[in-house]
Amino acid sequence: MPALDTSAFAAALADGACALDLRPAPAWAAGHIPKSLSMQFGRLDVVDRMELCFRRDATYLLVIEPAALGPVAERLIGDGGYQVGGYLAGGMTAWTAAGLPTAETSIVDVAELNAQLTSGLRVHLLDVRESFEFDWLRLPGAVNVPYGEIWDRHQELDAKASWVVICADQMRSATAISVLQRLGFERMTLVMGGLASWTEAGLPVLKAAKG
Amino acid sequence: MVFRQMIFGPTGCASYLLGCTKAKQAVVVDALRSLGIEEYLMEAADRGLQIVHVIDTHTHADHLSAGLELAQACGATYWLSDQTKATVDHQSLTDGAVVQIGEVRVEALTTPGHTPDSLCLLVTDQSRSDEPWFLLTGDTLFVGDVGRPDLLVGDRELDVTETAQRARVLYQSLQQKIFTLPGYVEIYPGHFGGSACGGVNMSGKASSTLRFEKRYNLAMQQDSEEAFCTFVLQTLRPQPLNFQQIKRQNLGLVEV
């Protein structure tokens, strides 16, 4: 399977393939191919995480940097039983240089989020960690849909609302947002640093009572 | 911080990936062609790190460096000692120069001896302390042994110094630059075990502390510069296979 130049990549997307962006979440948020799914690459668990939330009946086209990792990612994800149609030669740099469309996802850091919450602004807060993590420690007012359950449970969420999405750092949030954007959610914000930064900053949380 | 010692067993080579988890950036030291650049790219990607600096501690004689190739693949800066004769595209590290990624500080110490362009890299994790934590010693100091001074390319212009002089300079680098650092500083060498880049006393264990080496490294037990030079030259292993050609390749003088 090949390194695809930008026009071949764009043509395959038009044919129904799905862009899978393997770069770290901050890079994805800053600029990505519209409707691409976000899943930060890691050789040990990328396929395990994909299995939680990505369908097997799609063909995936990879975006990864540095591009030298393209063949490695292709092999790993292909061995994991996913259909891979190639990877983007030259990465997002080539895509942008070719004048092809990109989308950004807005981000917020924990200090800004805390300011929004304490100002009394109505914030729809979605926590996409697993439910046991949510039960143990969460932000006041957050609702919990684990990122692997988004495809099945997105009807529980108001697609018209503006959502702020949080996880332990930002990897799962980015994945969840990318899935929700494919499902038609438009106003999504990613909390950079997630619960780890939130607790490190000493901001208020709800904790499970110790049993 | 992230610290990974990445070894290639058959030649007893050690390379290193250092990263700052906050800045999401990494430095790779002495990348090995035998491991392949993919290995470093994956190691960084697994932790969400971007490799922004690649350093070679000296012109290697026993293996091909992947430093330049890795730097090019990542768009990283490739650093060599300002004493190098390499013609490959690089930036120069002077004595005391600092490469900083987030809270990880890497200070270059010029420590000629094994080669005129040998560096040691003093690493401080400023998220824990402003005091240095460990020293990447390249081929200057090994666990149980020291670098060998006799691997000359055979070209006066490239070699700069002869074996006898290299041995003396090595002694001075060790005494003045390395063993003046605090004894608790850990050392992580460029080779271990049966590597042909040191002498017969090299340990198979690829880490130690300066204090332990000061006490038990036989080369450091010699009581004068002269005794040190004699000892080092008497405890050599056979030279690495094909080392002059390998050095020329690493210098960028012949195609790999």
Side-chain angles (χ1 to χ4, degrees):
Chain A
M1 284 168 288
L4 303 171
D5 64 19
T6 49
S7 51
F9 198 94
L13 287 180
D15 271 352
C18 177
L20 175 59
D21 196 320
L22 299 164
R23 298 173 302 153
W28 174 81
H32 53 262
I33 296 171
K35 303 283 180 196
S36 61
L37 292 171
S38 166
M39 180 65 79
Q40 183 170 322
F41 181 72
R43 76 183 118 165
L44 301 177
D45 63 350
V46 68
V47 171
D48 293 342
R49 285 181 283 124
M50 284 181 70
E51 278 173 345
L52 275 177
C53 43
F54 294 162
R55 300 143 47 128
R56 285 188 186 276
D57 57 359
T59 297
Y60 293 97
L61 303 177
L62 311 183
V63 178
I64 191 164
E65 279 166 10
L69 275 178
V72 180
E74 214 173 342
R75 192 168 64 238
L76 264 172
I77 293 169
D79 288 351
Y82 285 88
Q83 194 76 24
V84 180
Y87 62 93
L88 179 59
M92 281 308 287
T93 318
W95 184 265
T96 330
L100 290 158
T102 59
E104 283 174 38
T105 295
S106 55
I107 58 170
V108 67
D109 66 22
V110 292
E112 291 168 61
L113 176 60
N114 185 51
Q116 287 175 21
L117 292 172
T118 49
S119 75
L121 212 68
R122 175 92 172 89
V123 176
H124 292 273
L125 194 57
L126 173 63
D127 188 328
V128 295
R129 293 173 305 148
E130 299 307 310
S131 53
F132 71 88
E133 297 172 272
F134 184 81
D135 291 344
W136 177 247
L137 183 121
R138 66 178 184 269
L139 262 58
V143 297
N144 179 221
V145 180
Y147 75 136
E149 299 175 19
I150 300 257
W151 292 108
D152 298 328
R153 293 181 52 193
H154 64 91
Q155 294 90 344
E156 295 172 25
L157 308 169
D158 179 0
K160 298 273 186 299
S162 166
W163 287 95
V164 176
V165 184
I166 195 165
C167 64
D169 42 38
Q170 59 278 313
M171 284 167 63
R172 286 180 276 179
S173 301
T175 301
I177 288 175
S178 69
V179 169
L180 287 166
Q181 283 174 341
R182 280 185 81 83
L183 292 166
F185 287 64
E186 282 172 2
R187 296 156 65 202
M188 310 298 291
T189 301
L190 172 68
V191 182
M192 206 52 79
L195 263 300
S197 295
W198 185 271
T199 47
E200 196 180 304
L203 294 168
V205 290
L206 294 179
K207 266 190 169 172
K210 291 203 172 102
Chain B
M1 71 175 294
V2 173
F3 172 81
R4 299 289 293 167
Q5 184 177 51
M6 298 171 67
I7 63 170
F8 185 68
T11 52
C13 290
S15 58
Y16 298 89
L17 182 142
L18 317 174
C20 175
T21 46
K22 290 213 171 104
K24 306 273 183 217
Q25 293 182 328
V27 183
V28 173
V29 177
D30 287 338
L32 302 162
R33 179 73 63 101
S34 43
L35 278 183
I37 66 163
E38 284 179 359
E39 198 59 30
Y40 300 97
L41 297 175
M42 286 192 288
E43 204 65 49
D46 285 348
R47 293 162 182 77
L49 304 174
Q50 185 193 358
I51 297 170
V52 291
H53 298 289
V54 178
I55 306 174
D56 264 306
T57 57
H58 64 287
T59 306
H60 306 285
D62 67 315
H63 66 268
L64 292 173
S65 165
L68 181 65
E69 185 189 358
L70 179 62
Q72 286 172 342
C74 304
T77 309
Y78 183 44
W79 297 94
L80 298 171
S81 161
D82 64 349
Q83 300 300 309
T84 189
K85 295 288 178 186
T87 58
V88 296
D89 192 18
H90 70 278
Q91 299 288 314
S92 291
L93 285 171
T94 52
D95 190 37
V98 171
V99 168
Q100 183 97 29
I101 46 158
E103 296 185 304
V104 178
R105 181 183 195 270
V106 181
E107 181 183 346
L109 309 178
T110 53
T111 52
H114 172 64
T115 64
D117 66 352
S118 285
L119 296 171
C120 288
L121 301 169
L122 186 63
V123 181
T124 305
D125 178 1
Q126 292 169 326
S127 73
R128 297 200 60 197
S129 167
D130 286 333
E131 294 190 282
W133 195 357
F134 57 91
L135 183 71
L136 304 183
T137 54
D139 284 16
T140 300
L141 174 64
F142 300 121
V143 180
D145 213 328
V146 297
R148 62 189 297 166
D150 66 322
L151 301 178
L152 305 178
V153 180
D155 175 329
R156 181 79 200 174
E157 177 63 24
L158 297 173
D159 285 327
V160 188
T161 48
E162 297 294 339
T163 297
Q165 192 187 346
R166 285 186 178 200
R168 284 194 298 278
V169 171
L170 176 63
Y171 181 78
Q172 289 155 16
S173 289
L174 289 164
Q175 292 291 353
Q176 293 163 17
K177 288 294 207 23
I178 294 184
F179 283 102
T180 49
L181 295 167
Y184 61 76
V185 168
E186 297 173 334
I187 67 160
Y188 289 92
H191 291 291
F192 61 96
S195 162
C197 284
V200 296
N201 294 307
M202 194 190 293
S203 172
K205 178 177 178 295
S207 67
S208 184
T209 62
L210 281 180
R211 181 153 183 168
F212 192 90
E213 292 310 306
K214 183 149 192 149
R215 282 195 184 185
Y216 300 114
N217 187 310
L218 291 177
M220 301 317 296
Q221 304 308 302
Q222 308 305 311
D223 53 13
S224 68
E225 182 176 302
E226 201 186 334
F228 172 89
C229 295
T230 307
F231 179 84
V232 166
L233 294 173
Q234 281 176 347
T235 53
L236 292 171
R237 282 175 197 275
Q239 293 183 326
L241 216 60
N242 220 9
F243 72 91
Q244 292 179 331
Q245 176 70 6
I246 292 172
K247 274 203 166 185
R248 285 176 186 276
Q249 289 174 329
N250 283 329
L251 285 165
L253 300 172
V254 271
E255 284 294 310
V256 176

